[in-house]
Amino acid sequence: MTSPVNQVISLNGTWQIQDFEPGKGLEAGAFAPGYPSQDWLPAQVPGEVHTSLLAAGLIPDPFYATNVEQVQWVERREWWYRLSFTPALASPAAQARDLLTFEGLDTFATIYLNGQELGSHRNMFRPGVFDVTGRLKYGEPNCLAVRLDPPYLYVEGKSIPGQWGDYNANQRVFARKTQSHFSWDWAPRLVNLGLWQPVKLERFQTARLHFPYLQTLEATPREALLRLVAGVENWGARPEGLLVKATLRRGDAVVTLDAPVLEGQASGSLTVENPALWWPNGFGEPTLYELEVTLWQGQTLLDTFSDRVGLRTLSLDRSPDPAEPGTESFTFVVNGVPIFAKGANWIPADLLNGRITPGRYEELFRLLVEAHGNMLRVWGGGQYEPDAFYRLADEMGILIWQDFMFACGLYPDFDPAFVEEVRQEAEYQVRRLRNRPCLALWVGNNENDWVEDSTRWQEPGHDFPGKYLYHQLLPEITARLDPSRPYWPSSPYGGNDHNGEQAGDAHNWSVWHGNVAPRRFGEEPARDWSPQGVSYRHYGQDLSRFASEFGIHALPVLETLRRNVPETELYFGSPGLLFRNKDNPKDKGNMLMQAHTGLPGDLAEYIDFSMITQAEGLKFGIEHFRRRMFHCSGTLVWQWNDCWPGLTWAVLDYYTFPKAGYFYVKRAFAPVLASFKDEPGGGVSLWLTNDTLAPVSETLTWTQATFAGATLQQATIQAEIGPNSSRQVALISPGQSGPGDRRQEFLWVSGSRPGTASNRHFFAEIKDLVRERPALQVEWEQDGTSWLAHLSSPGYAYFVHLFLPQEGTRYSDNWFDLFPGETRTIRVWRLDGQPVEPGKIEIGWR
């Protein structure tokens, strides 16, 4: 193919940065080409200021001890970026345009070229594009400078009457930037400034493509009907001569389209015979096609666009649920198949954007795929992620629930300039992401409708600052620019309370936060901050349609604490550990442990007990929600990842060391799951849940045993279950289980299929179990660069775990039960292929 006449020059790489008192850099002429900058610091672009200062040794590691408090000065300085570059461009032709694009400016920026101001930008979430035609020096050095003003100049002193939001809400809601930079209940304040996305210089001759959009209208195994719409910006081409060509390719299968440009747009239909459809993880292959769209003026190629796309249909089923009158479904349907969503909530992968790499994204995605996950919710207090994030989701079959970036506060939709910024931001993000097969849902905000109603509970249905955005502006934009996807006003939303069980999605914060649920519109909200009030047993009472948030704190592994907490602070209740916990009051975890494990006596117990509480709670909740399939259609754990080494709800810590909760979630997300449920009257039912699209015939053996190893009773049943369904397959009545002390006994079940994980049930809380810690035998066997650990015990061993304090170490399973007389083999390996040293692997159990 002929090369397009447009040219792209990357301006990424090493720039220079320097700080000034606010206003002093401008006064000193830091934008001028002749300004002396030889002593400025090097800075990588894309990146942000803290990362550059850290690399230069000018600030301490903000994650160690309380150092983050020592770097707060950074956000109150004026920062300048400078770059000298010589573009490989000739002088432009008469109709050519040279466009300078900053894909991400964080946040209050003014741009200068060769001493002249180009303009300003006030939004981290959309590009800054500046026409520099004729302002460049062609074949000579150019001086590009960016001034980043401290955010406080634009947000301090502002307020919204009735503002109930936490986390410096009356500052952050006025800034279109990552809201959690201003602190959250899982992170300290660390306000980034920088050029956080790529910078490029582009030359176009007479016209260019504008966000081509490929929509799947229908898709069956026999045929997929697609529609392409490509916008065209034309400032110098003859309109009658413009043509858009599209090619969709997978291997030898090629489909093409030629469409004339009419009134700034070209459109047409494509039909793909026998298509390979895109499927979420666990339902089929996430097949991708290569799409290329080109713009022609006669025989001259003006512009080209290429991407990988998936062919699939997606809808949100909200039809009435006849089995539970008065309720409706909230079920994602892909290619005609209802999908039970299994996944988690995603927050920014680092407090410092300059340290997030594609490799970090890939590791976090890979761990989700290995845990049988199929959905991530990009939470509304974070940021729209870069393209690399969504490409990985496409490639790995992970559906993305995409919040718009509004969270936990009132927003100034009474300000026309703010609304205009939001409009441009939303239009850009919708156009950018709408070709992604992973993208499943647009959501207006995080918790704003729910918390506002709970705050002014006497006035159901009232207006509030921000409501116009979520209920008028954003749904209009998504319907106009992306009719292929549903829009939902808020999360949570639906039912007879914005966090109701009758419709929509719900956030279960009865557990951990002690919210008393359910409630109805017009009722005063209540909390129960007691061990019983925050207990994870409340998950078993949750009848919501889609659990989009639920979670429990847990400490990270000891290695993570050692790296970031001084040795003198490594004890239960120390100020150093409490500093890692940004939630208030800070004793909620203690109350949960009181309810389930008892309070710890030292740090080792604190780590284990907090992890046990998190892991057992998530297991209990997920199993409950999955048994209700499709009365409940999804479970998204709060939260998947961490942005700093804190004491948070994450199941993967900052270094991606999995907590126990990760492995419990992985087992609870197994495609075929056997689980126990306490029944009224003292019986226990056994359920089988099947996420696959094939029927399952499973031989299940359940056993009631003592922790010491004595079998009290055992039965084998043949369980049949249809595809994509869940049902009870056995009932163990109180009379069957005998007269023994239930605190000394447990139930466990195993299946005949390799994909059916074993499971167990306790008759009492963990703190009340009566058992001895058994002996544990370990035999090591080398298998290439990995090692196999063969573990066995004569009695019941609880919470068995292996740990190597090196990132990138993987375990086939971990934090598991070892049943009496059982031998379990665990593979340990490293992602980098380096050999594992078994002598350095720590083994623990309870």
Side-chain angles (χ1 to χ4, degrees):
M1 172 173 284
T2 306
S3 297
V5 295
N6 66 309
Q7 296 170 266
V8 181
I9 297 172
S10 171
L11 299 182
N12 297 338
T14 303
W15 289 46
Q16 294 176 299
I17 61 168
Q18 183 61 49
D19 67 309
F20 296 85
E21 288 286 342
K24 297 298 184 181
L26 181 63
E27 184 179 307
F31 56 86
Y35 184 85
S37 62
Q38 61 272 17
D39 294 329
W40 286 25
L41 296 175
Q44 291 303 305
V45 173
E48 59 82 46
V49 168
H50 295 86
T51 309
S52 299
L53 296 176
L54 194 59
L58 295 179
I59 60 171
D61 179 357
F63 292 170
Y64 184 76
T66 59
N67 285 350
V68 69
E69 307 288 356
Q70 300 177 31
V71 300
Q72 296 301 309
W73 62 269
V74 174
E75 67 165 275
R76 302 189 72 83
R77 300 286 287 177
E78 175 182 293
W79 291 91
W80 286 75
Y81 277 74
R82 280 174 61 106
L83 175 71
S84 176
F85 69 99
T86 302
L89 294 171
S91 296
Q95 298 296 328
R97 280 189 181 177
D98 293 333
L99 300 180
L100 175 65
T101 299
F102 295 85
E103 294 187 15
L105 288 159
D106 187 6
T107 294
F108 299 98
T110 305
I111 293 84
Y112 304 84
L113 179 64
N114 297 323
Q116 299 298 311
E117 181 179 328
L118 296 178
S120 60
H121 196 72
R122 301 290 183 265
N123 194 326
M124 173 182 175
F125 300 135
R126 66 178 183 87
V129 182
F130 302 90
D131 190 334
V132 293
T133 309
R135 299 191 182 195
L136 286 169
K137 296 179 180 178
Y138 300 99
E140 300 178 41
N142 287 258
C143 176
L144 180 59
V146 179
R147 187 184 88 232
L148 295 173
D149 291 330
Y152 80 86
L153 294 178
Y154 298 85
V155 301
E156 283 191 356
K158 294 185 177 181
S159 64
I160 297 178
Q163 179 64 267
W164 46 260
D166 293 329
Y167 326 119
N168 302 287
N170 267 331
Q171 295 178 26
R172 61 178 173 83
V173 299
F174 293 96
R176 294 312 298 147
K177 73 183 269 80
T178 303
Q179 299 289 273
S180 54
H181 283 174
F182 293 85
S183 80
W184 218 262
D185 56 5
W186 35 259
R189 181 181 180 117
L190 196 57
V191 176
N192 287 202
L193 305 94
L195 312 186
W196 78 292
Q197 292 294 301
V199 183
K200 61 185 176 181
L201 180 63
E202 297 175 282
R203 169 169 290 178
F204 298 92
Q205 293 303 326
T206 56
R208 67 170 181 166
L209 293 165
H210 184 66
F211 292 104
Y213 174 35
L214 185 69
Q215 181 182 358
T216 304
L217 302 176
E218 300 176 14
T220 70
R222 294 182 56 188
E223 183 179 86
L225 178 62
L226 316 175
R227 178 170 177 79
L228 178 77
V229 178
V232 174
E233 294 180 4
N234 178 13
W235 58 88
R238 299 189 313 278
E240 64 276 8
L242 288 175
L243 182 70
V244 167
K245 298 183 179 182
T247 302
L248 189 67
R249 182 188 308 272
R250 178 176 176 266
D252 295 331
V254 180
V255 180
T256 62
L257 169 71
D258 288 6
V261 177
L262 303 173
E263 297 182 350
Q265 180 176 286
S267 62
S269 299
L270 300 92
T271 300
V272 180
E273 304 292 339
N274 304 311
L277 301 182
W278 185 94
W279 289 96
N281 182 40
F283 291 86
E285 292 300 315
T287 305
L288 296 174
Y289 285 71
E290 302 291 336
L291 173 66
E292 184 173 66
V293 182
T294 53
L295 175 63
W296 296 80
Q297 174 85 65
Q299 299 300 309
T300 302
L301 177 60
L302 298 178
D303 196 10
T304 184
F305 167 90
S306 61
D307 206 349
R308 302 178 76 198
V309 298
L311 312 186
R312 62 104 183 99
T313 59
L314 184 145
S315 60
L316 183 61
D317 178 11
R318 294 181 51 215
S319 61
D321 182 350
E324 296 186 355
T327 70
E328 65 179 46
S329 300
F330 196 85
T331 306
F332 291 94
V333 180
V334 177
N335 301 326
V337 175
I339 304 295
F340 189 94
K342 299 183 297 188
N345 287 262
W346 174 277
I347 65 170
D350 202 301
L351 274 178
L352 301 178
N353 276 324
R355 300 205 290 203
I356 304 174
T357 65
R360 185 168 179 81
Y361 285 134
E362 183 170 2
E363 184 174 17
L364 289 164
F365 268 91
R366 182 64 60 194
L367 285 163
L368 181 64
V369 170
E370 292 172 3
H372 316 293
N374 57 33
M375 179 176 279
L376 284 174
R377 174 186 174 225
V378 180
W379 169 75
Q383 55 209 30
Y384 309 96
E385 294 292 342
D387 290 341
F389 175 94
Y390 301 96
R391 280 197 294 267
L392 283 166
D394 288 345
E395 293 166 3
M396 296 190 184
I398 302 301
L399 294 166
I400 299 297
W401 167 312
Q402 180 67 58
D403 284 4
F404 286 98
M405 293 299 118
F406 304 92
C408 298
L410 301 176
Y411 283 81
D413 62 358
F414 48 79
D415 178 356
F418 182 87
V419 172
E420 176 60 19
E421 271 296 347
V422 171
R423 183 190 66 77
Q424 293 186 48
E425 167 192 320
E427 290 183 347
Y428 167 73
Q429 293 295 345
V430 171
R431 287 184 171 114
R432 177 175 76 101
L433 297 176
R434 62 189 178 182
N435 282 327
R436 298 293 178 198
C438 66
L439 193 65
L441 181 69
W442 296 106
V443 177
N445 69 75
N446 172 75
E447 297 188 345
N448 292 354
D449 290 65
W450 171 43
V451 181
E452 168 64 17
D453 176 75
S454 299
T455 302
R456 293 171 60 189
W457 55 271
Q458 305 96 327
E459 309 168 53
H462 62 267
D463 288 337
F464 60 91
K467 186 175 182 178
Y468 166 76
L469 304 176
Y470 325 130
H471 294 269
Q472 295 185 53
L473 180 66
L474 295 175
E476 183 280 322
I477 290 170
T478 56
R480 171 167 48 89
L481 298 180
D482 187 15
S484 68
R485 285 179 188 84
Y487 172 85
W488 196 238
S490 183
S491 180
Y493 193 80
N496 58 26
D497 163 21
H498 286 315
N499 199 22
E501 297 179 333
Q502 298 74 30
D505 71 307
H507 295 185
N508 186 317
W509 290 116
S510 297
V511 181
W512 187 263
H513 288 310
N515 292 352
V516 176
R519 68 174 282 268
R520 302 178 67 89
F521 289 121
E523 292 180 352
E524 184 175 5
R527 283 190 173 179
D528 182 356
W529 275 332
S530 69
Q532 292 70 37
V534 303
S535 164
Y536 60 67
R537 298 297 172 192
H538 289 288
Y539 290 144
Q541 304 158 10
D542 189 331
L543 301 180
S544 60
R545 309 290 103 191
F546 192 109
S548 53
E549 273 193 26
F550 63 105
I552 298 169
H553 265 206
L555 262 71
V557 297
L558 180 59
E559 175 66 16
T560 294
L561 296 177
R562 284 174 174 159
R563 294 181 186 184
N564 296 281
V565 179
E567 186 72 27
T568 56
E569 297 286 325
L570 287 174
Y571 61 89
F572 175 50
S574 75
L577 288 184
L578 289 176
F579 185 78
R580 307 270 131 196
N581 178 7
K582 298 304 179 184
D583 190 28
N584 287 298
K586 297 186 183 296
D587 62 349
K588 294 176 191 173
N590 292 354
M591 287 189 288
L592 263 163
M593 289 186 289
Q594 286 181 55
H596 300 290
T597 62
L599 285 175
D602 56 29
L603 181 59
E605 284 192 342
Y606 187 21
I607 293 172
D608 278 3
F609 287 10
S610 69
M611 281 199 187
I612 288 169
T613 303
Q614 181 192 60
E616 294 286 354
L618 295 180
K619 172 184 185 293
F620 183 79
I622 291 169
E623 290 177 354
H624 164 75
F625 294 130
R626 291 191 67 191
R627 283 192 295 265
R628 285 179 45 72
M629 179 188 194
F630 280 97
H631 307 301
C632 173
S633 295
T635 59
L636 302 183
V637 170
W638 183 270
Q639 62 204 63
W640 187 243
N641 58 312
D642 228 333
C643 61
W644 84 304
L647 199 178
T648 75
W649 292 268
V651 296
L652 298 168
D653 79 12
Y654 175 71
Y655 302 105
T656 63
F657 289 134
K659 301 178 186 178
Y662 169 80
F663 289 96
Y664 275 58
V665 167
K666 179 179 179 179
R667 291 189 289 269
F669 278 170
V672 179
L673 171 71
S675 65
F676 294 102
K677 176 189 175 187
D678 281 316
E679 295 291 347
V684 177
S685 57
L686 177 60
W687 287 66
L688 196 61
T689 302
N690 176 21
D691 277 351
T692 75
L693 300 184
V696 168
S697 178
E698 176 63 284
T699 303
L700 296 175
T701 299
W702 64 262
T703 303
Q704 184 175 350
T706 67
F707 292 118
T711 298
L712 303 178
Q713 61 171 333
Q714 190 175 70
T716 298
I717 61 170
Q718 189 65 33
E720 310 288 338
I721 187 169
N724 223 8
S725 62
S726 182
R727 75 178 187 91
Q728 180 181 315
V729 296
L731 178 64
I732 305 165
S733 67
Q736 279 180 272
S737 58
D741 183 351
R742 296 291 178 267
R743 297 175 304 158
Q744 302 180 41
E745 301 169 5
F746 70 102
L747 287 170
W748 64 289
V749 62
S750 60
S752 58
R753 301 171 73 254
T756 305
S758 59
N759 207 343
R760 57 99 175 107
H761 174 79
F762 295 143
F763 294 99
E765 296 294 353
I766 293 164
K767 66 179 181 178
D768 298 323
L769 298 177
V770 178
R771 61 186 180 88
E772 299 292 330
R773 184 173 185 265
L776 194 72
Q777 293 79 46
V778 183
E779 294 183 4
W780 289 99
E781 176 188 352
Q782 189 168 8
D783 184 16
T785 57
S786 64
W787 282 81
L788 304 177
H790 306 289
L791 302 107
S792 60
S793 174
Y796 176 86
Y798 176 64
F799 213 58
V800 181
H801 53 277
L802 300 84
F803 182 70
L804 185 65
Q806 297 172 353
E807 291 96 326
T809 303
R810 290 288 180 267
Y811 313 85
S812 57
D813 199 4
N814 217 342
W815 279 285
F816 52 87
D817 298 339
L818 195 57
F819 300 122
E822 177 190 20
T823 297
R824 181 80 67 91
T825 298
I826 305 298
R827 181 181 295 275
V828 185
W829 73 99
R830 289 181 52 78
L831 292 178
D832 59 11
Q834 294 299 308
V836 171
E837 300 180 54
K840 294 183 178 180
I841 296 176
E842 305 164 11
I843 300 177
W845 69 99
R846 287 280 171 184

